[in-house]
Structure formats: C-alpha cells, structure tokens
Amino acid sequence: GASSLAPHPATAPLGEFIRADDEGEKDDAEEKEKGDEEDKNDKEDKGDQAKQEKAKFGHRPKSLNSVPVTNATLEKMPKKSKGSSSAIKIDEDGKINTYYLPGATVVDNGKSVEYRPPYRFYLMKTDTTDYSKEENFYKPIFPGKTFSVDMDFRGQNGPSCGCNINFYLVDMPVGFPGKDHDYYCDAQCFPDMGCCHEFDMNEGNENVQQITDHACTGHYSQDSSWKCNKWGDPEVKITPPEFGKGSGNTIDGTKKFTFSQRFDVHGNGLTVTTTISQGGKTLKKTMNSNGEMQNMLEKLQQGMAFVTGYWTAPDMNWMDGESCGSGTEHCSEEPAYISNWRITSNGSPVPNPSPDPSPSPSPSPSPGPSPNDVEMTCGWCSSGSCGSCSEEIGWCSESEDHCKQCGAKSKWCPKSQVTAKGTQKQEQQEEQAELQAEKKED
C-alpha cells in the first residue's frame, strides 16, 4: 500500500525528483504543443473562412458584358449614349493634347466623358474605329508618370451595386478580330477573344474602388491551364469605412473625388501608389512589387492600350460584395462622369483642375495677313478666339479641317499667336480674368 503513496520530500530519493521534474516539463511541452495546434487550427479556420468569403462573392466576371464601339455598334447606339464629339483633352505636363474615344460622349469642351452602359472605348490618336492597327492607338508610357482624373457618380442614386465604371490597360490589338470584331484581349482569356496582360488601373462604383494587376507568366497554382492571372496579384480593394456611400466614410463615393495613380520604377521593380482625395481628406494605397508586377512592368514600358467603359452584371459581387452582399445585383445604370484628365511626369506638380466658365463674347480678330503668308497651327484657346492659346499637337494641327473637329475651343490660328507650351496655371488666370470681367459687366 505504501508504494502507492508519493514519497515525502524529506525522504524521497533524488531520482524521484528528477522524474517529477521531467514529468512537469513533459506536461508543459504537451500544453504548449496543444496551444500551438489550437493556434494553427484557428489560423486554418480563418483562412478557410476567407476562402469561403471569396468563393461566396466569386473571383472575377464570367463574361465580358461591355460592348466595343465599332462601325456596326455606332449605328445602333441610342442618341443619349453617342456624343457629338469624341475628342478628349488630356493635360500632359502642362500641354493640352487631343486624343479620341470613338463613340464616347465627350462634354465640357473636351474635358469630361459621360459614361453610360454597356460600352467600352479605346484611346486613339485619331477618330477611327479601326482597332486592327497598333499605330492607331495612343498608348501612354505610365512608368515614371502619374495619371489623375476627377470622378463623379452624382448622388445617392448614382452607379452602385452591380455597376462597373473602369479604366484599364491591355496588350491589344491581337492578330484576329474576335467575336466583337475589335481585336480585343484581356487576362480573363474569354472564348473567341485574345488572351493578354491586363492592368486594372481602376474599376468600381459608389461602394468600392479596386486596382488589380493581371500578369501573364503561365505559372499559376490556382489552375495550371491559366496563361494569365485571372484573379490578379496584387489586388487593392478600397471599401467602407475608407471608401463608400455616405459621409461616414473617409471618401464619400456619392460625391466628386480625385483619383490619382503614380507608377514608380525601382530597378526591375514596379510600385503603384493610388491616392484618392476629397475635401481635404486623403486615402493612399500602395501596390508593392513582386514577380507578377515585374512581369507587368515589361509590358507597361512598351505601352499598352487604354480602355475605359461602363458595364453591368447581376453577379458583380466579386468586386462590391462587401457592401452589396452575395445576392443578385441590379445596376441603376445612372451616368458617371470622369473629367480633367492629366498625365504628369513624376517629380512635377500634378496640375489642379480649373473651373471652365462659359466664354464671354469677344470681338472678332482684326484682319491679318493671309494664311498663305503666315504659318498656321491649331490652338487650344480658353477665350474661344486666337490669342493666348496653347498649341495642339499631332493630328489636330495637320489641317484646319482637323482642327475644327478637336473641340469648341480649338481654333486655326497664326502660330505667332499660339504658345508652344500652355500651362494649366495660365489658363486658370485667363479664366479668372474672364470671370471678373463678367462680374463687372453684371
């Protein structure tokens, strides 16, 4: 019976103490192992939960619901979706250049684009829908640059759940027309369409803003058949309480905001920093470099086609599910506006948008020398007449007929009356002077 009793400390042999210590350490080790296992299980549960959430909302669209503007679709477009002018003004380091979004509704003297579903547009050097030729596209080289626009979804009833307003880059045109006859490609590799690199600079609505890199390395663990990363890596998603509907968010998606995206190159690495600002409040999100970003950098340095549009889907939950849930969605199809397009070299100040008041009546210019005796060019004239104009470049300046198609403020002027490089600041000063003159007249 005594052998069943624990030895008294005063009389217990040394070996009993050692065995007792060993058993205590063993118990501690087992307890620690148990705790580690619980932590591991907890992490796995959270990981599974995250996977379930992503599975619930879906990963990416199952089909491309946007329609390109071709000669065929241009004839079928309703009047409210077809603008009288497709000439878009882009401020590039202070110089106002004219490009085209064929079929788009460009308003505000070339400064704003009105978006309505289901169309997508391509940024072109001339007003053409021939998308088979690479030389027809204007492909900005974004590494080392910052792209900025003002976005306006206009109120609580603006584009929300199920709506996708976007601008992105793809490596088109491909070598065949595809089902939409526009030589299109993207990283989703849809049937009868091209498969290529895609960088989603921005897609979203009043609830969310999302930026996604879709490189094409051909090596993806998610699916060995993928040529491109359909899910994207990295991905930046900005949702409530940072961005969303209402004043309770840092950025209220129902009100106008500025979206700016900076591309920085560090050796072979690419960093993309997105800044969203509104009324003194600012959000900044950085997409750091990895292998996928390095792969994308090669294409960005070569230049990619700029695509922009507005499409809808009942299963847009992959993008806006955090705010809109996992059920069927119904886009309001209300218009959206993107204005004051700027591309600035990094290290230079990003020009602020300036007001664009209606030009006050101005006297016709005094008769001057015949155009045959004077070198003429196309000027972007804030006053609506020659004088203090910034020079247009490219297609607009090739002829007077071209110039007339470049916007209400584009005038065929003597080159002596056109500055080689107008600046936003100069235009703003001129417009402020016009405003003061109008007030005096009133």
Side-chain angles (χ1 to χ4, degrees), residues 206-218:
E206 292 185 331
N207 304 284
V208 60
Q209 296 288 283
Q210 182 167 303
I211 305 100
T212 315
D213 173 54
H214 296 279
C216 299
T217 64

Side-chain angles (χ1 to χ4, degrees), residues 54 56-66 117-118 159-166 203-208 210 237 239 309-333:
K54 196 156 190 177
K56 180 174 72 173
F57 294 138
H59 293 295
R60 296 297 296 176
K62 297 182 178 68
S63 62
L64 185 63
N65 288 354
S66 60
S160 185
C161 301
C163 305
N164 188 319
I165 295 91
N166 54 72
E203 53 186 339
N205 54 44
E206 292 185 331
N207 304 284
V208 60
Q210 182 167 303
K237 181 174 289 195
T239 58
Y310 181 171
W311 59 281
T312 71
D315 56 353
M316 199 76 73
N317 322 81
W318 56 268
M319 183 183 76
D320 57 22
E322 285 82 357
S323 294
C324 302
S326 57
T328 301
E329 298 183 344
H330 302 278
C331 175
S332 66
E333 299 194 6

Side-chain angles (χ1 to χ4, degrees), residues 61-64 179 184 186-194:
K62 297 182 178 68
S63 62
L64 185 63
K179 71 179 184 67
Y184 177 82
D186 66 25
Q188 299 306 312
C189 305
F190 294 116
D192 199 19
M193 301 184 85

Side-chain angles (χ1 to χ4, degrees), residues 10 28 39 94 99 114 198 200 238 278 282 298 308 330 336 343 353 367:
D28 291 343
D39 288 343
Y99 303 104
E114 180 184 275
E198 172 188 349
D200 296 335
I238 311 173
Q278 180 186 71
T282 299
E298 296 177 16
T308 183
H330 302 278
I343 300 176

